[in-house]
Amino acid sequence: MLTTNQRLNNDSIRREKRYLSRRKASLVSVLLTASLLTAAISAPKAALAVGPTDIVQQQAAAVYALTDSLQVEVKSLLNEKTSEGTRIAAVIRIKSQGASKTVKIPDLDLRVTTADNQEITLQASTLNAHVIRTQTVEELNYYVTVDRNDAFELTDLTWYSVDWYSYPKKESVQLSIPVPGVSWNGQNSVLQNPADSRSWGEPFVLPAVIDSPIQYTPVSVSKDFGPEGPINNVVLLAENPSDSDRTVPDFTLDGKAEPGVSNKLVFNGKRVEQGPIILEPKGRKYLHFVIPTDKDTILNSFNVLTTETFRQVDAKGQVNALSYNVGRYNIQWPAGNGISTEYAEAPVYEAETAFGFDPISNAIDPNMSISLVEFHKYLNEGEGYQTAIAKYMLTNNGDIPIPLPVFQTKLLSKQGLKYSGTRQAATASEIMPHSSYVISYSYNLPSELEDNQMVVAFSDGKTTGVTGTPLGAYKVSFQASDPTASEMSFYPFNVKLNTWTLNAQTYGSTTSPITYTYRLMMDMDIERNEKVTVDQNFAKLRLELIDPTGKQIGAKDLPFTGTNRIISGKQFIKFDNLRTDEQEYPLTIQMYEVMATPTGEAKRLVGILKQ
C-alpha cells in the first residue's frame, strides 16, 4: 500500500506530465498554424482577393490540427456567472480534410483550464456529430455549470484521449489551445480586441467562424415611447456580396449605457423581423431592432451578439434546449443620437417637386411620386399647443392602379425634437393611373415652438415595429397664412370669398319661448385642380360662430364633395341648435379646414370674419 507521501508524489508527477503533454500539443498546433499562415502569405495575390474586413476575420480565426485529417477552431466560448453558479459553454467548428468520404470524429473529452489551474470537463451534446464528410464543417456543442460564484478566467481548451478500460485509466492530451481573453463573460463583458470596436456607420461582417459573408451597416437610430417606456430603434442595412442566396444568421443587439448615468448598464434588444431572412445574390435589406430602456437612459453603444444553443436529450427522449448569447462587436452610438446630423444633412425641399426616397426600400412604388402641396402651422388659442398640417400629393405615373402606400412622417426641429405625424383616418385604397390623390398628416407642436423651418422625415410604415426604415428627410418651410385674406387654399381647392352677410332670425310667439338662429350668406368662387382625386374622406370647411366673449355658440361643417358640397356662387348656411338663448352682437365667424384622424380631429384656421 502506498504511503500518503508516495500518493502525493505520484499525483504531482501525473499533473506535471499532463502539463508537459499539453504544452507539447500546443507547440505542435502553433507550429501548424504558423505554417498555414506562412503558406497563405506566400500564396499568389490573386488567391487572396478579400476586403479589409475579411483579412481581419482570417487573422482572428485560429485553426488547429486535432488529427491528421481534422481541424478545429473555437466559434464561441462562454464563461458567465449566474445566480445558480457559473455556466461554461463552447462551440467548436470541426472540418474534415481527409481523403476518404467520411471521417470518424474521435471520442475525446473537452476540458477547460482556469487561471487558478482548475480543470473542468465540459459535457458534450448527445446531438453532436460522430462522423464528418470530407471538406465539410460540423459544429460540436459543449456545456457545464460549475458551483463557483467568483470571477475567474479561462486559459486553455484541451482535448483528452481517455482509455476507460485500463486501471487506473490512462489520459493523454490530443490537443491543447490557449484561450485567454477569448471567452464572453456575459452581458457586462468588455470586448478586449480593439478590432471588435467599431464606429457608427462603419460596415462589419460577423466573425469568420460564423461563416457568413453578409455585411451590415448601421444606418439610423431613433427613440420612441411605448406603453412601458422609451424604446430605441436601430436599423442595419444587410448586404449580400456573394453570388448565392444567404440566410441572415441569428443575432441581436444589446444597448449599453454610461456607468453612473443609469443604475442599469445593459439593455437587451431584439430583432423585429421574425423567421429566416434570405438575401438574394447582391441583395440588400434593412434589419430592425428595438432596445427598450429605462427613463432618462442615454445609450452610448450597443453590442452585436450571436445566439448559440446547446441541445441535450434527456432520459425521456425529449430534447432540451439552452440558448445563450456571445458578444462579437461593440458599435458606438452616433453623436447626439444622430438627430443633429439628420437635421444638418437634410437637403432643402424644392416646392412642387417629388421627394427622393431610399431605393432599397419597397415602401414606395417606383411609379409613385410624392410631393408636398401645403404645409401650414396654426396656434390653437386656449389649447396650449400648435397644429401643423401637411398635405402630400401622391401621383400614379404608371399604367395600372397602385395601392395607396403606407408611410410615416415626423417633424424634426433644429433643437433635435421630433413630433410624430398622424395620418388622416380614412383614405382611398388605390390610385388610378395618371391621377393624383391628396393625403393629410397633422402634427401637434409646443406652443412656444417658433421654428419656421423643420425637417420632414419619412419612414416605412409597413415595418412591424415602433419605427420603420428611414426613407428620406428634407427641410421644409411653413407657408405663410393670413386668416384675414379673402382667398383660402384647401388643396386641390382654392376658395375666394367675394362677399358675406350674417343676419339673426327670431322665432317665437305669445305661447312659446323666443329662439334665435343665424343665417350666413356667402358668395364664393371655388376652383379645383381636376387632375387630383378627392373623395368623402377629404377635409371639410368648418364655420364656428363665436360670441363677443370668445365662446363658441354654434358650428357648421361644409363638405367639398358629395351632394351637399359647397359650390361657387351664393349659398346660405343656417346656424341652429345654438348654445345661447339671447341674440348676440357682434359675432365672429372662424373658418377652419378640418380632417378626421385616428386620434381625433385636426383643424387649421384659414379665415376670420368679423361683424
Side-chain angles (χ1 to χ4, degrees):
M1 180 176 293
L2 296 176
T3 65
T4 301
N5 289 336
Q6 287 175 325
R7 286 198 299 270
L8 291 175
N9 188 47
N10 288 343
D11 289 341
S12 177
I13 292 172
R14 281 196 295 268
R15 284 197 300 269
E16 183 68 20
K17 286 183 177 179
R18 284 201 300 267
Y19 173 78
L20 293 174
S21 180
R22 285 202 305 266
R23 298 303 298 172
K24 180 179 178 181
S26 298
L27 180 60
V28 172
S29 299
V30 170
L31 291 174
L32 175 61
T33 304
S35 64
L36 291 173
L37 290 175
T38 303
I41 294 171
S42 60
K45 291 185 178 180
L48 296 175
V50 293
T53 306
D54 300 309
I55 294 174
V56 171
Q57 282 189 329
Q58 290 177 359
Q59 292 173 346
V63 180
Y64 300 88
L66 183 64
T67 66
D68 292 339
S69 57
L70 296 177
Q71 293 181 341
V72 295
E73 57 185 340
V74 179
K75 179 188 177 187
S76 304
L77 186 60
L78 178 73
N79 176 21
E80 183 179 18
K81 186 166 63 174
T82 69
S83 58
E84 299 176 353
T86 300
R87 57 180 187 172
I88 302 173
V91 180
I92 306 298
R93 283 167 52 92
I94 184 167
K95 182 178 181 180
S96 169
Q97 293 185 327
S100 60
K101 291 184 179 180
T102 59
V103 177
K104 184 180 183 301
I105 299 175
D107 186 13
L108 303 173
D109 273 6
L110 179 60
R111 303 175 191 175
V112 62
T113 305
T114 65
D116 55 2
N117 206 31
Q118 181 181 358
E119 201 169 62
I120 302 169
T121 301
L122 301 179
Q123 180 184 1
S125 169
T126 54
L127 300 180
N128 282 351
H130 297 285
V131 295
I132 183 172
R133 291 182 298 170
T134 185
Q135 302 302 318
T136 60
V137 175
E138 292 282 355
E139 290 188 0
L140 307 180
N141 285 266
Y142 300 85
Y143 180 85
V144 71
T145 299
V146 295
D147 188 16
R148 289 187 62 169
N149 293 316
D150 59 316
F152 56 88
E153 185 183 3
L154 306 181
T155 59
D156 296 276
L157 274 177
T158 306
W159 283 260
Y160 280 93
S161 175
V162 182
D163 184 359
W164 297 95
Y165 299 101
S166 62
Y167 184 81
K169 67 179 181 181
K170 295 181 180 179
E171 298 180 349
S172 60
V173 175
Q174 185 78 12
L175 171 66
S176 183
I177 61 175
V179 291
V182 174
S183 63
W184 177 252
N185 301 326
Q187 61 181 13
N188 290 316
S189 296
V190 177
L191 294 168
Q192 299 183 18
N193 188 348
D196 296 334
S197 298
R198 302 298 176 95
S199 301
W200 176 261
E202 183 180 356
F204 66 91
V205 291
L206 295 176
V209 287
I210 308 297
D211 194 22
S212 173
I214 298 176
Q215 177 177 278
Y216 307 91
T217 305
V219 294
S220 75
V221 296
S222 62
K223 179 178 284 189
D224 286 296
F225 291 87
E228 299 180 359
I231 299 176
N232 295 270
N233 305 278
V234 181
V235 180
L236 303 182
L237 173 62
E239 302 177 85
N240 176 15
S242 70
D243 296 324
S244 60
D245 289 351
R246 294 286 183 163
T247 301
V248 175
D250 188 13
F251 71 94
T252 186
L253 308 182
D254 278 358
K256 300 193 68 175
E258 286 280 4
V261 176
S262 173
N263 293 329
K264 187 177 180 182
L265 298 180
V266 178
F267 299 85
N268 304 126
K270 65 178 180 179
R271 195 174 75 187
V272 174
E273 290 83 4
Q274 300 297 312
I277 299 176
I278 300 176
L279 289 181
E280 298 177 349
K282 314 302 180 185
R284 298 187 291 176
K285 186 179 180 63
Y286 289 111
L287 305 179
H288 303 80
F289 298 83
V290 292
I291 306 175
T293 62
D294 294 336
K295 183 180 178 181
D296 299 328
T297 295
I298 299 176
L299 299 180
N300 68 331
S301 66
F302 63 85
N303 286 333
V304 179
L305 307 103
T306 57
T307 302
E308 303 288 3
T309 303
F310 177 81
R311 294 178 174 88
Q312 191 68 294
V313 180
D314 61 18
K316 297 180 180 180
Q318 301 294 322
V319 177
N320 297 321
L322 187 151
S323 296
Y324 57 92
N325 292 328
V326 177
R328 303 298 183 179
Y329 293 105
N330 179 258
I331 312 294
Q332 291 300 305
W333 208 257
N337 285 342
I339 293 177
S340 57
T341 303
E342 184 178 359
Y343 187 93
E345 294 181 352
V348 177
Y349 174 70
E350 296 183 13
E352 300 181 0
T353 61
F355 291 104
F357 295 119
D358 186 350
I360 300 175
S361 173
N362 59 0
I364 309 299
D365 190 281
N367 291 318
M368 176 78 69
S369 63
I370 300 177
S371 58
L372 184 65
V373 291
E374 279 189 4
F375 191 47
H376 295 279
K377 180 178 63 171
Y378 167 67
L379 177 63
N380 301 284
E381 295 183 4
E383 300 292 341
Y385 65 91
Q386 301 180 83
T387 296
I389 293 182
K391 286 186 180 179
Y392 302 96
M393 184 172 68
L394 287 64
T395 302
N396 180 359
N397 301 303
D399 297 324
I400 59 174
I402 297 178
L404 197 74
V406 179
F407 58 89
Q408 300 171 347
T409 66
K410 289 187 178 183
L411 298 185
L412 174 64
S413 71
K414 194 172 184 178
Q415 295 74 28
L417 301 177
K418 285 189 174 183
Y419 307 94
S420 297
T422 303
R423 183 185 177 110
Q424 68 184 59
T427 63
S429 59
E430 60 184 14
I431 304 176
M432 294 298 104
H434 305 289
S435 64
S436 300
Y437 185 83
V438 173
I439 186 170
S440 300
Y441 285 74
S442 64
Y443 311 83
N444 290 336
L445 308 175
S447 57
E448 64 273 10
L449 183 70
E450 298 180 354
D451 297 36
N452 289 322
Q453 186 183 66
M454 301 188 77
V455 167
V456 178
F458 297 86
S459 61
D460 176 5
K462 296 191 296 183
T463 303
T464 304
V466 179
T467 296
T469 304
L471 300 177
Y474 293 85
K475 290 190 183 78
V476 181
S477 298
F478 287 107
Q479 294 173 282
S481 58
D482 181 5
T484 63
S486 59
E487 292 194 16
M488 296 162 284
S489 175
F490 301 81
Y491 194 91
F493 297 92
N494 191 68
V495 177
K496 181 180 180 182
L497 180 61
N498 299 318
T499 59
W500 67 278
T501 58
L502 179 66
N503 297 312
Q505 294 182 333
T506 305
Y507 298 90
S509 65
T510 56
T511 59
S512 62
I514 298 176
T515 59
Y516 302 95
T517 62
Y518 294 91
R519 185 169 181 262
L520 173 66
M521 186 282 295
M522 303 178 72
D523 182 10
M524 297 183 292
D525 293 330
I526 299 178
E527 296 180 356
R528 174 186 168 182
N529 185 337
E530 298 293 340
K531 294 183 179 180
V532 179
T533 302
V534 294
D535 54 25
Q536 71 275 10
N537 303 314
F538 188 72
K540 295 178 173 62
L541 170 63
R542 174 171 294 175
L543 304 176
E544 293 187 359
L545 201 58
I546 309 298
D547 71 6
T549 65
K551 185 179 77 172
Q552 182 200 107
I553 60 174
K556 203 76 171 181
D557 285 351
L558 306 176
F560 285 90
T561 61
T563 56
N564 297 319
R565 67 182 183 277
I566 56 176
I567 58 175
S568 293
K570 289 184 179 181
Q571 45 210 309
F572 298 90
I573 298 98
K574 185 178 181 180
F575 293 93
D576 45 18
N577 298 322
L578 299 177
R579 301 174 184 173
T580 180
D581 56 1
E582 298 179 358
Q583 182 176 341
E584 307 284 354
Y585 185 88
L587 294 173
T588 299
I589 299 174
Q590 293 183 348
M591 307 172 69
Y592 293 92
E593 180 183 26
V594 179
M595 70 172 186
T597 73
T599 58
E601 285 186 338
K603 62 183 184 179
R604 172 178 68 92
L605 182 68
V606 295
I608 298 177
L609 308 178
K610 292 184 177 182
Q611 284 186 316

